[in-house]
Amino acid sequence: MSFLKALPAAALLFLPSTAATVHSVSVVPSSGKTEVVIGVDHAVDVQDFTLDAPARVVVDLKGATLDMSHRGYDRIARGGITNVRYSQFRPNVVRVVIQMDAKHPYEIKRSDGEVRISVTGGKTAD
């Protein structure tokens, strides 16, 4: 009988943890590249794809909710990035769209507390 009572409590250990929170999005120019840094408080699944006309990188953070007030990008070109938008695309998906002046190579890295999208090439406005 005690085994059956303990079973539901043990099952809770295998439930997915609460959704991650996206708490910041910033653009950071660096030597030879520009990085979009997305601050998160837990690990997220990341899926990305590109779109044309205009050139964009779309990054979906699955298992995440947006917890920040919307601030628009200042639209100053930084390393080919001309605009960054983000929204709660679906109940458990935050979407970040990086608009560029042309197609540029990019790389996505995940680490504790952040997702970094590094874009190489492009010019930074003076």
Side-chain angles (χ1 to χ4, degrees):
M1 196 68 127
S2 62
F3 173 74
L4 293 177
K5 288 181 181 178
L7 186 59
L12 292 176
L13 296 174
F14 300 102
L15 291 176
S17 62
T18 60
T21 300
V22 175
H23 54 78
S24 64
V25 177
S26 57
V27 179
V28 181
S30 184
S31 178
K33 64 184 174 183
T34 300
E35 295 183 318
V36 176
V37 181
I38 303 166
V40 294
D41 64 353
H42 295 307
V44 293
D45 290 328
V46 178
Q47 289 189 332
D48 64 290
F49 59 93
T50 60
L51 296 171
D52 297 325
R56 289 162 284 169
V57 173
V58 179
V59 179
D60 285 340
L61 306 170
K62 294 186 174 190
T65 57
L66 190 60
D67 185 26
M68 51 189 274
S69 61
H70 183 71
R71 285 185 25 197
Y73 185 65
D74 59 14
R75 294 194 178 227
I76 295 174
R78 290 177 178 89
I81 296 174
T82 59
N83 196 13
V84 177
R85 299 184 314 269
Y86 49 87
S87 68
Q88 189 70 53
F89 180 65
R90 292 194 181 126
N92 210 23
V93 178
V94 172
R95 176 166 282 182
V96 178
V97 179
I98 304 164
Q99 187 171 321
M100 299 180 290
D101 58 5
K103 286 186 177 183
H104 295 287
Y106 70 95
E107 180 180 10
I108 297 177
K109 293 182 181 177
R110 288 178 266 184
S111 63
D112 285 344
E114 65 185 25
V115 175
R116 286 184 178 259
I117 302 98
S118 298
V119 177
T120 55
K123 295 184 179 181
T124 300
D126 295 331

